[in-house]
């Protein structure tokens, strides 16, 4: 039977760059493929092939439409492994570190999501912003209200995006109208899993906010959901701020460390993503690595809330998977380009470097691996889903001028990352279809 979503083959001709492995494992030279005059051939939402134009063009059927692009670079779509859609309207809230920021700004805004119409309005705004920034997949927090996640999935489905989201579980240390109970949190999550998990390109993540806002009973039921639905994700926060860490120790005095609270409740696996992990001890690193859990590195957020400097190289040396997260609204940009630029500065402050090919990997294939989605997205391997961005090398006057001085591919890529932002995104494609075009 013909796929009702079937689309004719399309070819895009311009410079094309994608990651094929982690530079930390294979070295920079073996980590990417670059075609200066390349073709990306897509059909039915998938990559057919990528390669040099002079090799692929003569093989194309006459029916294939070839789009030729000047002064552009195609890369895979960006992958944001930690973001809060309900915090779109409170990005850039002044003056606080994590716990006061949550109480003064975040919780009041999240209360508004009891109103489904408001939730939908923000979900639409949020998905528009992701597309404008070239992000094609994200792991997303909702609020405690199950309707917040329902409308988010509805809007994501309309755009045929590969998205992961979940309802926040929070049964203590929060305002009364933002609290669920262990049982209602379990039942609401279960209903959302049954409705949305693996529907098209959508997936569910069991989402306890962080250890301080869940009782042990709620975390136990989160673990039960993961046992009942083994391919569902687990998404939470971990070890972001010193006061938070002390609070967790006081709330769970029997736990060995912060991560151990989650470990005791069966929340660690290859489908678990922990945001931040800025201040981890040896024991926590070992357990993350043993269980193949991932950390979302959120540089703009960690700087904005004064949380600390994430030791990326050290975490990788310990065998921990790392993806990139914007963590909007504590993060200050939806742009993965800006996020990688801030990550570079975080590395500099630790006497370390972040090569542009490594940044590309982190924002694409590395994110896909952190989300266990590298079998379907993350690069242009034949058969993967055609999620990609067209970057404009002349996006601003400064970028055009600077590019004239760029000697090499890595130089150009570093400029794109360092001074690039939403203006750099000419088009965003999801499943082979254009979901954003810069005006
Ligand atoms: N820890 C618990 N909740 C949050 C949140 O909404 N944002 C961040 N950055 N950290 C958290
Ligand atoms: Zn967060």
């Amino acid at each position: 039977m013909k796929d009702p979503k079937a689309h004719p083959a399309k070819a895009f001709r311009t410079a094309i760059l994608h990651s094929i492995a982690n530079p930390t494992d294979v070295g920079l030279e073996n980590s990417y493929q670059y075609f200066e005059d390349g073709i990306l051939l897509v059909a039915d939402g998938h990559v057919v092939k990528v390669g040099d134009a002079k090799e692929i063009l003569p093989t194309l059927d006459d029916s294939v439409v070839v789009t030729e692009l000047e002064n552009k670079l195609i890369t895979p779509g960006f992958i944001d492994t930690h973001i809060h859609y309900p915090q779109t309207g409170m990005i850039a809230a002044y003056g606080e570190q994590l716990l006061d920021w949550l109480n003064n700004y975040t919780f009041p805004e999240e209360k508004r999501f009891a109103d489904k119409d408001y939730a939908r309005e923000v979900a639409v705004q949020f998905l528009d912003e992701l597309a404008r920034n070239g992000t094609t997949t994200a792991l997303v927090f909702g609020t405690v209200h199950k309707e917040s996640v329902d409308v988010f999935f509805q809007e994501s489905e309309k755009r045929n995006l590969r998205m992961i989201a979940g309802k926040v579980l929070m049964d203590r240390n929060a305002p009364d109208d933002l609290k669920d109970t262990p049982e209602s949190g379990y039942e609401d999550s279960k209903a959302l899993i049954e409705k949305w998990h693996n529907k098209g390109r959508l997936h569910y993540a069991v989402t306890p906010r962080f250890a301080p806002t869940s009782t042990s009973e709620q975390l136990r039921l989160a673990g039960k959901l993961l046992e009942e639905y083994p391919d569902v994700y687990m998404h939470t926060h971990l070890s972001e701020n010193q006061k938070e860490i002390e609070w967790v120790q006081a709330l769970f005095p029997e736990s060995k460390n912060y991560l151990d609270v989650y470990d005791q409740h069966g929340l660690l696996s290859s489908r678990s993503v922990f945001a931040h992990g800025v201040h981890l001890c040896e024991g926590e690193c070992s357990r993350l690595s043993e269980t193949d859990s991932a950390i979302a590195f959120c540089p703009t957020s960690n700087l904005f809330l004064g949380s600390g400097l994430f030791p990326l190289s050290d975490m990788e040396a310990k065998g921990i998977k790392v993806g990139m997260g914007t963590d909007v609204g504590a993060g200050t940009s939806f742009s993965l380009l800006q996020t990688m630029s801030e990550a570079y500065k975080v590395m500099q402050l630790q006497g370390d470097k972040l090569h542009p090919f490594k940044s590309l990997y982190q924002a694409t294939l590395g994110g896909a691996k952190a989300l266990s989605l590298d079998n379907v997205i993350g690069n242009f391997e034949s058969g993967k889903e055609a999620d990609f961005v067209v970057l404009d090398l002349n996006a601003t006057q400064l970028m055009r001028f600077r590019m004239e001085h760029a000697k090499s591919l890595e130089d150009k890529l570093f400029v794109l990352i360092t001074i690039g932002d939403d203006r750099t995104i000419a088009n965003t494609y999801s499943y082979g279809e254009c979901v954003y075009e810069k005006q």
Side-chain angles (χ1 to χ4, degrees), residues 82 84 237 276 327:
H82 178 67
H84 301 249
H237 295 93
H276 308 292
D327 194 26

Side-chain angles (χ1 to χ4, degrees), residues 82-84 87 98 101 141 209 235-237 240 275-276 298 301 326-331:
H82 178 67
I83 188 164
H84 301 249
Q87 295 175 12
L98 176 63
W101 175 85
F141 259 67
R209 175 167 222 118
H235 184 199
T236 191
H237 295 93
E240 174 178 5
H276 308 292
C298 307
S301 166
T326 61
D327 194 26
V328 165

Side-chain angles (χ1 to χ4, degrees), residues 311-352:
L312 174 61
S313 302
D314 192 33
M315 293 294 118
E316 283 204 307
K318 290 179 170 145
I320 300 168
K321 286 189 304 201
V322 179
M324 301 307 301
T326 61
D327 194 26
V328 165
T332 51
S333 173
F334 279 81
S335 167
L336 260 301
L337 295 172
Q338 284 278 289
T339 301
M340 296 321 304
S341 177
E342 296 304 291
Y344 176 86
K345 297 170 194 170
V346 166
M347 304 288 275
Q348 281 279 40
L349 283 166
Q350 299 174 93
D352 206 344

Side-chain angles (χ1 to χ4, degrees), residues 203-369:
H203 309 276
Y204 194 80
V206 172
T207 309
R209 175 167 222 118
F210 66 157
T213 47
S214 285
T215 58
S216 185
E217 177 59 5
Q218 178 158 72
L219 296 177
R220 187 184 72 75
L221 288 175
K224 184 163 183 264
L225 283 169
L226 298 175
E227 257 176 40
E228 290 168 351
Y229 300 96
D231 69 336
V232 153
Y233 290 86
M234 202 293 299
H235 184 199
T236 191
H237 295 93
L238 170 70
S239 202
E240 174 178 5
N241 166 288
Q242 293 294 356
K243 283 198 181 137
E244 170 208 20
I245 296 168
E246 286 161 24
W247 194 21
V248 171
Q249 207 55 62
L251 289 168
F252 296 92
E254 70 292 355
S255 67
K256 282 191 279 195
N257 51 52
Y258 192 158
L259 185 71
D260 192 45
V261 175
Y262 300 131
D263 207 357
Q264 298 286 326
H265 295 90
L267 305 185
L268 275 61
S269 84
S270 61
R271 302 183 91 77
S272 302
V273 179
F274 296 92
H276 308 292
V278 177
H279 310 283
L280 298 172
C281 67
E282 286 300 323
E284 290 172 304
C285 292
S286 305
R287 283 301 289 153
L288 287 169
S289 161
E290 280 161 23
T291 56
D292 198 27
S293 299
I295 296 278
F297 172 19
C298 307
T300 75
S301 166
N302 294 341
L303 293 171
F304 183 71
L305 292 183
S307 302
L309 304 176
F310 179 74
L312 174 61
S313 302
D314 192 33
M315 293 294 118
E316 283 204 307
K318 290 179 170 145
I320 300 168
K321 286 189 304 201
V322 179
M324 301 307 301
T326 61
D327 194 26
V328 165
T332 51
S333 173
F334 279 81
S335 167
L336 260 301
L337 295 172
Q338 284 278 289
T339 301
M340 296 321 304
S341 177
E342 296 304 291
Y344 176 86
K345 297 170 194 170
V346 166
M347 304 288 275
Q348 281 279 40
L349 283 166
Q350 299 174 93
D352 206 344
K353 287 190 170 62
L354 188 60
H355 193 279
F357 290 141
K358 173 71 172 167
S359 288
L360 174 75
Y361 170 81
Q362 285 303 135
T364 57
L365 187 58
K369 283 188 196 284

